[in-house]
Amino acid sequence: NHMLTYLTFEVEWDFSFKEWQFVMLETEVDGKPLKRAYSLADTLDEYQKTKTIKFYVKKVNEWWMSDFLTQKIKVWDKMKMSQAFWHMTDEWNLKDYLFICIWTGIAAMRWLFKKAYSRWDAGKIYFLCGERYFDNLIKEYNKDFQIDDENIKIHFWISKEDISEEWVKDGNIQINKWHVQDWLAQAIDFFDDKNIKVFACGKPDMIDEIVATLENGWIPKDNIKAEKY
């Protein structure tokens, strides 16, 4: 939609990563080097099947990497990519999961979610994601959330426009008006006990509020992994 892109790259070397890790992408435009970190919008299983990786990029300013990746990049362009890094990964030692994110934070969170529900011993899963506008929801993602399972709940929150009737329920996806924090208490109540794993990614003030609410709701602090951006 001219502000967001969903990019697929073929990888020309042996590559390995864990869900929620990120890489450095590097290129040069008009003699100017550009370099920035982006979360991998993929699972290792998907990468091994296709030998491609994906990124979800939102334009944030002119002339920088996000401008190139949303406005100027062309089919068959090549980029340099680092090895994957970052410690915000999961040990997969619990069955129940709560995922909370806003905007492009969905890139890595989507694949943690997919990994969680694909496990043979999967438990209850609640996915909360906030966006400003409905058109910013990448349509490619919807198929990963169309899961007919009473143990899985999906809620998207749109903060900058009114909700149209046809948006409100799209298969297993519930779309609401305002912010993800508005549904946090209900999400906690969805689980049978408090021993759940939580992944949260968003603005610093949002994350601080969410972590405080979770801890006040008796979610063990060691079970919460949060990233601010």
Side-chain angles (χ1 to χ4, degrees):
N1 63 3
H2 305 293
M3 291 299 294
L4 295 124
T5 55
Y6 183 55
L7 301 170
T8 301
F9 288 92
E10 294 180 351
V11 181
E12 296 182 342
W13 46 282
D14 192 23
F15 183 59
S16 183
F17 63 95
K18 295 181 179 180
E19 288 73 23
W20 205 347
Q21 288 190 312
F22 57 85
V23 297
M24 298 298 297
L25 293 181
E26 185 175 355
T27 190
E28 188 174 287
V29 177
D30 298 328
K32 179 181 179 180
L34 298 177
K35 188 175 183 178
R36 196 180 188 284
Y38 286 98
S39 294
L40 291 154
D42 232 334
T43 63
L44 181 61
D45 290 343
E46 291 291 328
Y47 161 71
Q48 290 174 337
K49 291 176 185 176
T50 64
K51 296 304 178 183
T52 64
I53 56 170
K54 302 173 183 68
F55 298 94
Y56 175 37
V57 181
K58 178 178 290 187
K59 181 178 178 180
V60 293
N61 51 33
E62 300 288 341
W63 312 120
W64 297 95
M65 182 66 90
S66 67
D67 179 63
F68 172 74
L69 292 176
T70 58
Q71 311 295 316
K72 300 183 176 67
I73 195 168
K74 301 182 298 297
V75 175
W76 306 123
D77 278 355
K78 290 190 175 185
M79 301 190 72
K80 293 181 180 179
M81 183 181 73
S82 71
Q83 293 282 354
F85 54 98
W86 192 225
H87 62 275
M88 296 289 280
T89 57
D90 195 28
E91 302 80 22
W92 306 110
N93 56 347
L94 296 177
K95 295 182 178 180
D96 297 332
Y97 284 81
L98 171 59
F99 299 104
I100 310 164
C101 62
I102 60 171
W103 308 340
T104 52
I106 195 175
M109 203 74 72
R110 168 199 180 196
W111 294 104
L112 283 166
F113 165 80
K114 189 170 183 177
K115 180 84 170 182
Y117 81 70
S118 298
R119 296 169 60 196
W120 67 270
D121 60 344
K124 288 188 171 183
I125 301 172
Y126 212 116
F127 191 98
L128 284 170
C129 180
E131 253 297 354
R132 292 178 176 177
Y133 302 101
F134 180 78
D135 283 347
N136 287 354
L137 299 179
I138 300 296
K139 306 304 182 290
E140 176 74 13
Y141 285 8
N142 286 1
K143 64 183 181 183
D144 292 315
F145 296 121
Q146 297 296 347
I147 305 165
D148 186 15
D149 189 330
E150 63 181 9
N151 289 322
I152 297 176
K153 299 291 184 183
I154 313 292
H155 275 95
F156 285 92
W157 289 79
I158 307 297
S159 62
K160 295 296 185 181
E161 62 183 322
D162 292 331
I163 300 300
S164 173
E165 284 297 322
E166 63 266 24
W167 299 351
V168 174
K169 189 70 174 177
D170 179 12
N172 196 44
I173 301 172
Q174 181 77 32
I175 300 176
N176 305 90
K177 170 71 175 178
W178 215 227
H179 300 115
V180 295
Q181 297 94 310
D182 298 331
W183 211 262
L184 197 53
Q186 290 90 331
I188 295 173
D189 290 342
F190 174 68
F191 298 98
D192 298 322
D193 59 51
K194 308 300 184 183
N195 191 31
I196 67 174
K197 179 63 70 70
V198 181
F199 285 89
C201 182
K203 298 187 298 182
D205 55 345
M206 166 194 160
I207 291 300
D208 289 341
E209 179 183 351
I210 285 174
V211 170
T213 301
L214 291 170
E215 291 182 358
N216 290 337
W218 301 103
I219 304 299
K221 185 176 182 179
D222 290 342
N223 288 9
I224 303 170
K225 291 194 174 184
E227 182 177 12
K228 300 176 182 180
Y229 73 86

